[in-house]
Amino acid sequence: MSIEGFDYECALSGITAEGGQFHEADGLDDLPPGWLQVSFKRRGVNPQYAALQQVKHSMIEGLMSQIPENYPEEVVEAQFQAVAMQVEAQFHGMESTISPYITYEEEVFFAPPESNEVVREAVNEVRETLGLALFSTESEEAEAEEAEEAEEAEEAEELEEIEAPVEVPKPVSGATAVTP
């Protein structure tokens, strides 16, 4: 996260911008309007937590190795439960303060795609790969809007033709209508 007044630098083009108005509600702090923030978060195993689990396992194995092999299976099972509970209790305080995971986060910023053709093309390449809608230029948006309006007009014209009342020919005066 940034601090108010921090300069943002586009990871693609090197374009920089001053931070905008600080706004905490959306989680983007003072990211200037139009800029993109891309975050990659990855969960990894906390090595300290893994080491603690290994120590607990080793302690249980060590204590269980002291039980003679000729003891009945029920007694060995009961001893295992008791030893495991003791080891869990012994390390409970320490284990409750250590997270099993560590989160790694990488964050990059991109200038507004509309501001630079190189940025737009690079961002669109990534968006296309991820199956997201592409950013278009203002001229592409205008062309798309014109095409949509033309299509709507054509559909309306076709609809008018379909819905137009069918004119029934009026009988000519003096003629008689033939009915089947």
Side-chain angles (χ1 to χ4, degrees):
M1 297 293 163
S2 63
I3 305 169
E4 195 167 349
F6 177 81
D7 279 332
Y8 288 89
E9 183 176 351
C10 177
L12 297 170
S13 65
I15 295 171
T16 60
E18 289 287 323
Q21 183 177 6
F22 189 81
H23 182 70
E24 190 174 316
D26 62 5
L28 296 174
D29 296 341
D30 68 340
L31 186 70
W35 278 67
L36 303 174
Q37 174 184 316
V38 177
S39 299
F40 291 94
K41 290 184 180 182
R42 184 175 190 183
R43 176 184 283 172
V45 176
N46 184 343
Q48 189 177 13
Y49 184 84
L52 178 62
Q53 300 309 308
Q54 184 61 43
V55 167
K56 287 174 28 181
H57 181 73
S58 296
M59 284 185 72
I60 292 171
E61 280 184 351
L63 292 169
M64 291 302 293
S65 70
Q66 296 175 10
I67 298 174
E69 290 182 19
N70 60 354
Y71 273 30
E73 192 174 322
E74 303 83 40
V75 173
V76 172
E77 184 62 34
Q79 287 296 315
F80 176 80
Q81 294 296 327
V83 167
M85 287 174 64
Q86 283 180 322
V87 171
E88 286 293 327
Q90 183 177 351
F91 288 98
H92 176 72
M94 180 185 285
E95 190 172 26
S96 66
T97 63
I98 301 172
S99 172
Y101 303 108
I102 294 175
T103 303
Y104 301 95
E105 183 173 3
E106 297 172 295
E107 198 170 77
V108 293
F109 302 98
F110 301 128
E114 305 82 23
S115 69
N116 184 304
E117 175 99 10
V118 173
V119 173
R120 185 177 59 80
E121 287 177 5
V123 168
N124 277 344
E125 186 177 318
V126 172
R127 291 180 65 87
E128 185 175 36
T129 301
L130 297 174
L132 301 172
L134 304 181
F135 288 109
S136 55
T137 62
E138 288 180 20
S139 62
E140 290 173 339
E141 287 176 11
E143 287 174 17
E145 194 173 302
E146 287 175 14
E148 187 176 320
E149 288 174 2
E151 186 176 317
E152 287 175 2
E154 187 177 307
E155 288 174 2
E157 198 175 286
E158 288 174 3
L159 188 59
E160 284 177 10
E161 287 177 12
I162 293 172
E163 292 178 348
V166 177
E167 287 189 34
V168 178
K170 295 182 184 178
V172 181
S173 63
T176 56
V178 179
T179 55

